Amino acid sequence: MTTLTTTEPADRVGTAVLEARGVTMRFGGLTAVDGVDLTVGDREIVGLIGPNGAGKTTFFNCLTGLYVPTSGEVRYKGAVLPAKPYRVTQAGIARTFQNIRLFANMTVLENVMVGRHCRTKEGLFSAIGRGPRYRAAEREARDNARELLDFLGIGRHANSLARNLPYGDQRKLEIARAMASDPGLILLDEPTAGMNPQETRATQEVVFKIRERGLAVVVIEHDMRFIFGLCDRVAVLVQGRKLVEGTPEVVRADERVIAAYLGTPYEDDAAARGAAGDGGGDAATVRAAGEDEGTAS
């Protein structure tokens, strides 16, 4: 396999919200994530792409405390994050999941209110007694939840059971629940999976609106058109290591990215083209085909 290198974008990050340094995750003899660095700036949208099994979701799990990294460090706004999911949420990082994880038998409104629990100060005895402070906190959580549902365009479903929502609206509900924790950074794991083109475009607009609210966003996706039309920067993971990072234009044109998605080592591909006397037309054809296809997996 080719030596993995990084192309660092200049003057893109600004004030760092997230800093991951040398994050490595091993499961026995398997290295799922290998020394990955990633910095996310304030109000920046960063894409994380790569073939299936590249370690993208595992990396997310390391960032959010679901996994304790074998080595490396994750900082949020300069502070080292504890390896506990609830503490990471309290610090200001929220996420959605590749597979939808809603409370199916709770209402849409209740699902979002659950996401607010880390910002409330009422304890067990306050909940049992249901005194004035508890009722005020619950009212604030309900108002916050309604505002987020309206923001994401699903306010009309507030009293519906989550399981009865259309698929695209269930994805929006997950985002609303994540935003209820009042994060500064939100991690979206394949937010357009299973969506039709219209729903995908709507999700892109949602992410832009989230940034307008002052949040930074990191997105895992296989839909290349979605990623390249959305992100300020894109990082590519291959076999657990970061292959390249840069603007969408830089990443889209990189021969190693094309080879990674085709499953062909870049050196072998280049040698084969040279032996055939081809000046690079095949790579250009592959690139154009990838753009026409719109998705890669």
Side-chain angles (χ1 to χ4, degrees):
M1 182 177 180
T2 185
T3 301
L4 303 182
T5 58
T6 300
T7 301
E8 292 291 352
D11 302 325
R12 297 290 295 180
V13 175
T15 303
V17 173
L18 176 74
E19 296 176 277
R21 293 286 177 263
V23 174
T24 297
M25 187 70 217
R26 296 189 180 95
F27 300 96
L30 173 67
T31 302
V33 177
D34 189 1
V36 174
D37 296 337
L38 185 69
T39 301
V40 181
D42 186 37
R43 301 193 182 201
E44 189 178 25
I45 301 175
V46 177
L48 192 61
I49 66 172
N52 287 329
K56 303 181 296 297
T57 296
T58 300
F59 182 61
F60 262 25
N61 290 341
C62 291
L63 297 180
T64 55
L66 286 175
Y67 293 159
V68 179
T70 306
S71 62
E73 182 180 76
V74 181
R75 290 178 176 268
Y76 175 72
K77 295 186 176 180
V80 176
L81 285 173
K84 296 182 182 296
Y86 75 94
R87 297 284 297 278
V88 172
T89 302
Q90 288 176 338
I93 297 179
R95 71 169 295 180
T96 65
F97 292 87
Q98 184 175 343
N99 298 316
I100 293 175
R101 299 186 183 184
L102 298 174
F103 299 105
N105 293 318
M106 293 171 62
T107 69
V108 169
L109 184 67
E110 289 168 343
N111 267 269
V112 182
M113 290 177 65
V114 166
R116 190 68 180 173
H117 78 281
C118 68
R119 301 299 174 211
T120 59
K121 298 180 181 180
E122 304 310 307
L124 174 63
F125 294 109
S126 178
I128 293 174
R130 302 184 70 85
R133 291 177 56 186
Y134 174 83
R135 292 197 299 272
E138 187 173 82
R139 184 167 55 251
E140 187 274 337
R142 183 179 294 105
D143 291 343
N144 175 267
R146 289 190 183 279
E147 189 273 329
L148 286 171
L149 291 174
D150 289 339
F151 170 73
L152 292 171
I154 54 175
R156 64 190 182 280
H157 298 304
N159 296 318
S160 301
L161 293 180
R163 68 186 182 194
N164 294 332
L165 286 184
Y167 180 83
D169 287 343
Q170 288 188 23
R171 286 284 182 186
K172 289 181 180 179
L173 177 54
E174 269 213 322
I175 294 173
R177 185 176 61 187
M179 292 180 66
S181 66
D182 195 23
L185 170 67
I186 187 166
L187 311 179
L188 305 178
D189 195 346
E190 298 193 23
T192 69
M195 289 188 178
N196 61 42
Q198 182 178 0
E199 291 171 330
T200 298
R201 287 192 295 272
T203 300
Q204 189 176 61
E205 292 303 315
V206 164
V207 177
F208 284 134
K209 288 169 64 179
I210 290 172
R211 179 178 37 199
E212 291 172 0
R213 289 174 71 106
L215 279 67
V217 184
V218 183
V219 186
I220 291 176
E221 256 304 335
H222 287 290
D223 187 327
M224 296 298 99
R225 290 191 180 186
F226 175 80
I227 282 289
F228 291 142
L230 175 72
C231 297
D232 302 309
R233 283 187 296 125
V234 178
V236 184
L237 291 189
V238 177
Q239 296 181 8
R241 290 189 282 173
K242 188 166 70 174
L243 175 64
V244 64
E245 178 183 354
T247 65
E249 294 76 18
V250 168
V251 171
R252 180 162 39 198
D254 195 294
E255 302 284 0
R256 295 166 298 173
V257 177
I258 298 169
Y261 274 98
L262 289 175
T264 305
Y266 173 60
E267 297 94 337
D268 295 346
D269 184 56
R273 292 202 317 271
D278 186 1
D282 287 349
T285 300
V286 167
R287 188 182 302 112
E291 292 171 356
D292 289 341
E293 183 68 21
T295 58
S297 57

